[in-house]
Amino acid sequence: MNELNVIRRQPTHNLPKKKILCLVSNPAQLHGMEVGFFAEEMTRPFFDFINAGYDVDVASPDGGRVIFDGHSNPENPKGAYPNDLISIGFVHHATFGKWMEDTIPIAAINVADYDAICVAGGGAPLITFKDNVKLHQLIADFYEAGKITCLICHGTSLLLWTKLSDGTLLADGKTWTGFADSEEEMINQMFGMTVNDYTIETEARKNPDTNFEVAGPLEPFAIRDGRLITAQQQHSSFLASQLVIEALSD
């Protein structure tokens, strides 16, 4: 037998017990369409966290009903992700699927109960997150309490507004990523219109005190800068959850 061709792997299963808060947007109206959060950007990290043995809750700013974006809904005949088996499994799970109708409101969240927060993107966050001062405060509270703070795709828009207790932006002095302008242009071409009134990359680059980076359009890319973890888009969701698990295992 040629040992040079033998590859052995033995992953670590004895991870420390942790509790994670997955946060998604409540539904919103965008150009006459109801939009929500990008399915995979919550369900893939959720799946990875459950497999790591973590306890996971799902919250939204207002609590109650949340929805997948139609584009990301694997059960939408016109959607682009029919093979997203994790999201299909989530909504049809006897327990987890019910959470889509009854998420926890952020007013009921005790930061001390959790080790990390993971925020999904999608069509609604640019609308619902921008002026939600209580949500900005929650993110700041997680970060300043020493918790791992993970933001994915349009969820990273929170770094445009979240201020710490000293009045500085959480993004100041940080290296991070988010949905790229090149990807926004792909969406605009798909719908034949300018979909969003502003973009994360354009706004982030107005801040001279932060370092915003992106990979090529739709390429998996994520960054960990201390307790802050950011991921560029849905194809980066698995990288985000890996970084969270690594950070919580340090």
Side-chain angles (χ1 to χ4, degrees):
M1 180 182 293
N2 185 353
E3 282 290 322
L4 293 178
N5 295 325
V6 177
I7 299 174
R8 297 178 178 86
R9 290 180 182 172
Q10 188 173 15
T12 300
H13 291 284
N14 298 319
L15 296 171
K17 188 71 172 180
K18 300 294 182 180
K19 188 172 184 180
I20 313 296
L21 182 68
C22 286
L23 189 139
V24 300
S25 175
N26 294 103
Q29 291 292 317
L30 179 64
H31 302 293
M33 300 180 295
E34 187 177 44
V35 291
F37 68 95
F38 200 105
E40 182 182 354
E41 292 171 11
M42 186 276 280
T43 62
R44 176 55 193 266
F46 182 97
F47 179 79
D48 291 342
F49 297 151
I50 290 293
N51 279 345
Y54 298 166
D55 294 325
V56 187
D57 287 335
V58 179
S60 62
D62 299 330
R65 173 179 173 265
V66 295
I67 62 168
F68 292 157
D69 279 332
H71 177 69
S72 72
N73 187 343
E75 297 186 310
N76 177 4
K78 297 181 179 179
Y81 299 89
N83 298 323
D84 182 0
L85 301 182
I86 292 177
S87 295
I88 293 173
F90 183 91
V91 296
H92 289 284
H93 191 278
T95 300
F96 305 150
K98 295 177 182 178
W99 293 353
M100 296 285 287
E101 297 296 328
D102 191 25
T103 56
I104 302 169
I106 61 173
I109 296 299
N110 181 358
V111 173
D113 291 340
Y114 298 92
D115 299 288
I117 186 170
C118 186
V119 182
L126 290 186
I127 302 167
T128 65
F129 288 0
K130 184 177 182 180
D131 297 317
N132 194 326
V133 177
K134 292 182 179 179
L135 176 57
H136 305 169
Q137 186 62 56
L138 180 73
I139 299 302
D141 289 346
F142 263 88
Y143 187 80
E144 292 194 299
K147 314 291 184 174
I148 301 300
T149 304
C150 176
L151 312 170
I152 300 173
C153 194
H154 285 103
T156 65
S157 63
L158 286 166
L159 294 178
L160 301 176
W161 317 297
T162 297
K163 292 185 177 181
L164 302 178
S165 56
D166 63 2
T168 63
L169 285 169
L170 195 165
D172 287 353
K174 304 295 192 305
T175 296
W176 58 290
T177 188
F179 203 62
D181 280 356
S182 60
E183 293 162 335
E184 293 282 3
E185 185 53 35
M186 293 173 68
I187 292 178
N188 294 341
Q189 291 180 11
M190 182 187 308
F191 287 95
M193 61 186 297
T194 300
V195 174
N196 293 309
D197 293 336
Y198 64 97
T199 69
I200 295 169
E201 180 173 358
T202 295
E203 295 303 310
R205 296 197 186 283
K206 294 177 182 177
N207 181 356
D209 298 321
T210 198
N211 181 33
F212 185 84
E213 299 179 359
V214 294
L218 301 184
E219 292 182 3
F221 185 58
I223 297 173
R224 177 184 173 189
D225 186 343
R227 298 191 303 280
L228 179 65
I229 294 168
T230 52
Q232 186 168 322
Q233 30 39 17
Q234 68 272 18
H235 301 298
S236 313
S237 300
F238 76 100
L239 295 176
S241 53
Q242 286 178 7
L243 287 172
V244 170
I245 293 169
E246 289 173 10
L248 292 175
S249 301
D250 287 349

